[in-house]
């Protein structure tokens, strides 16, 4: 099948391995993300979920494995990875972090235009126009000139999402986007994620919000000890897991 046909995955990662010192954090991870799909990664703390996200967009360099995007780049790790490949990988996706990671000394608008203008060479006027459209869409227009410290946690995280969208990536990566929020603020961020899923964004989300995962995920991957122990539809994994390790994890969460 030609890689440009619509059913080709947007991204395929194979054989990802990563150790920090003697700690083997990823021990051969394979995953595929199809265009428009939402992949949810679940699993205990320390199982390697964040490291996978970081490997997918080049924030972390795997010791071995391949990260291949449809229509490129195809980056093989293990040897020397060129700067061009690394940049190409980074440009494909945008990450939303657990702690929004906004620059505290920049306004909301400045935070949102920073990536497009500095990393992608977008003209400032164009970046501002794009930012204003997104801020309006996500109910943040009046916060445009505020500093992050003047926003609620939910608003900060929504700005973090707008900042990612402003990069116009093909893939959105979310690393526990609601776990640092007060419980009453979680809903507004999940609502944004649901909207993005409904719009057809391709997303990989690390989350402990299992109800949300059940609603939006096309596929759920259960990680433990640096491997994917089990994968399937939300109902297969969350309602009828086959593996003991998955059952134990879900029992602890419920
Ligand atoms: P999860 O997202 O599932 O909680 P992580 O991918 O964050 O798991 O971490 C997996 C393991 O890798 C943990 O043992 C963590 O301490 C370790 N780790 C992650 N990043 C680093 C790093 N930069 N240096 C050393 N160890 C790290």
């Amino acid at each position: 099948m030609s890689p440009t046909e619509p059913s080709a995955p947007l991204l395929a990662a194979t054989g990802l391995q990563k150790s920090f010192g003697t700690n083997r954090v990823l021990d051969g991870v394979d995953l595929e993300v199809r265009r428009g799909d939402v992949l949810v990664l679940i699993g205990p703390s320390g199982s390697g979920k964040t490291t996978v996200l970081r490997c997918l967009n080049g924030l972390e360099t795997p010791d071995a494995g391949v990260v291949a995007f449809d229509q490129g780049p195809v980056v093989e790790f293990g040897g020397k990875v060129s700067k061009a490949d690394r940049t190409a990988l980074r440009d494909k996706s945008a990450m939303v972090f657990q702690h929004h990671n906004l620059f505290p000394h920049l306004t909301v608008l400045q935070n949102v235009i920073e990536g497009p203008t500095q990393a992608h060479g977008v003209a400032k006027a164009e970046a501002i126009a794009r930012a204003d459209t997104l801020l309006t869409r996500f109910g943040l227009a009046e916060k445009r000139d505020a500093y992050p410290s003047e926003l609620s946690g939910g608003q900060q995280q929504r700005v973090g999402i707008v900042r990612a969208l402003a990069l116009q990536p093909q893939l959105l990566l979310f690393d526990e986007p609601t776990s640092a929020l007060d419980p009453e603020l979680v809903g507004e961020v999940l609502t944004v994620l649901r909207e993005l899923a409904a719009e057809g964004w391709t997303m990989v989300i690390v989350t402990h919000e299992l109800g949300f995962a059940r609603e939006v995920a096309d596929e759920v991957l259960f990680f433990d000890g640096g491997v994917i122990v089990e994968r399937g539809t939300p109902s297969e994994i969350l309602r009828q897991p086959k593996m003991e390790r998955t059952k134990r994890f879900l029992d602890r969460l419920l």
Side-chain angles (χ1 to χ4, degrees), residues 36 55 98 104 128 152 163 186:
C55 288
Q98 180 175 4
I128 291 175
S152 72
R163 183 177 56 172
V186 168

Side-chain angles (χ1 to χ4, degrees), residues 109 112-113 115-117 120-136 162 165-169:
L109 180 70
V112 175
I113 67 171
T117 56
H120 291 182
V122 176
K124 194 167 173 191
E126 158 71 18
I128 291 175
R130 220 191 263 176
D132 278 333
T133 303
L134 287 167
L135 290 170
T136 301
V162 164
L165 295 175
L167 292 166
Q168 301 188 327

Side-chain angles (χ1 to χ4, degrees), residues 20 23 25 44-51 60:
F20 293 106
N23 184 11
V25 172
S45 178
S47 56
K49 307 179 299 295
T50 296
T51 305
E60 202 70 77

Side-chain angles (χ1 to χ4, degrees), residues 108-175:
V108 164
L109 180 70
Q110 289 165 339
N111 265 286
V112 175
I113 67 171
E114 171 81 11
T117 56
Q118 300 302 312
H120 291 182
V122 176
K124 194 167 173 191
E126 158 71 18
I128 291 175
R130 220 191 263 176
D132 278 333
T133 303
L134 287 167
L135 290 170
T136 301
R137 211 203 117 187
F138 290 100
L140 293 160
E142 80 240 32
K143 300 295 178 189
R144 165 189 206 269
D145 300 314
Y147 287 88
S149 61
E150 298 171 305
L151 308 180
S152 72
Q155 288 168 336
Q156 289 171 348
Q157 195 54 302
R158 275 153 54 206
V159 174
I161 295 171
V162 164
R163 183 177 56 172
L165 295 175
L167 292 166
Q168 301 188 327
Q170 291 192 13
L171 174 67
L172 289 168
L173 305 172
F174 293 87
D175 189 10

